Amino acid sequence: MSPGNRRFAAMALLVPLAAVAVGCGGGDGDGGKDDGGGGSGSSKPVADSKDAGPGGGVLAELKGANGVVVTISSAVRDGGGFVTVQGTVTNRGKAVFDALEWRSKETGVKSRSAISGASLVDDRSKKRYLVLRDTDGECLCTTGLTNIKPDESRPLFAQFPAPPSDVTAIGFQIPTMPAVRVRLSG
């Protein structure tokens, strides 16, 4: 098996684990700021908690239009050169929500109801890190984010290339929602 195929196979195993681990995420909070993500709504970092490690804690919360809230529970750097952001999307509004505006504008991406348009932004180096894609054009992120009913929550994750190791906090953006700053762990 080639190194690329081994990496893809390993990531295929991590995706279900990431979905299971969403409720167990955590990390250190970091002061938030709007990195220009646009959209209507607000974002806020949650308390700067030094003890919010795995098993508890919320890094940030993004509030979009019509009562849609994304809660980020972890942003973990792994040894393979990736960052995985995990959390939940909750529809606190009164109408069904479809995340169609969260997808990437790239024509080669197959995932239509996904957070494939999410990105990490390193303000210091002026670099944007996009959600990784597999060889079939699918994002390494949550898909099927349609028909989310009022008061329903769903887990979400997105995997990105890791910024340099000296970057300890980074902007996280989803199209149509304000950006937040999250602390990287791992």
Side-chain angles (χ1 to χ4, degrees), residues 26-32 45-52 58-60 169 181-183:
D28 293 339
D30 186 41
V46 180
D48 186 13
S49 174
K50 298 296 182 200
D51 58 357
V58 174
L59 292 180
R181 198 149 177 82
V182 295
R183 181 164 303 281

Side-chain angles (χ1 to χ4, degrees), residues 14 61 82 111 164 166 176:
L14 290 176
E61 192 172 80
F82 306 106
S111 308
D166 64 337
T176 75

Side-chain angles (χ1 to χ4, degrees), residues 10 17 20 29 37 39 43 47 50 52 55 61-62 78 83 92 115 126 132 136-137 145 154 157 170 179 182 185-186:
L17 292 174
V20 170
S43 62
K50 298 296 182 200
E61 192 172 80
L62 297 84
D78 70 22
V83 168
R92 295 184 183 154
I115 62 165
K126 306 288 189 246
L132 294 168
D136 293 326
L145 292 173
R154 294 196 192 164
F157 81 97
I170 197 157
V182 295
S185 62

Side-chain angles (χ1 to χ4, degrees), residues 64-135:
N66 302 317
V68 174
V69 177
V70 173
T71 304
I72 304 301
S73 57
S74 68
V76 179
R77 180 191 304 268
D78 70 22
F82 306 106
V83 168
T84 303
V85 176
Q86 297 179 347
T88 58
V89 56
T90 302
N91 182 356
R92 295 184 183 154
K94 296 181 180 181
V96 169
F97 173 72
D98 295 314
L100 299 177
E101 293 179 344
W102 292 359
R103 69 180 182 257
S104 170
K105 303 295 184 216
E106 297 171 67
T107 57
V109 176
K110 295 181 179 179
S111 308
R112 296 288 178 227
S113 56
I115 62 165
S116 59
S119 61
L120 297 178
V121 178
D122 180 3
D123 293 336
R124 188 179 65 202
S125 68
K126 306 288 189 246
K127 288 189 178 183
R128 179 180 299 270
Y129 299 89
L130 303 178
V131 175
L132 294 168
R133 308 324 190 217
D134 68 17
T135 56

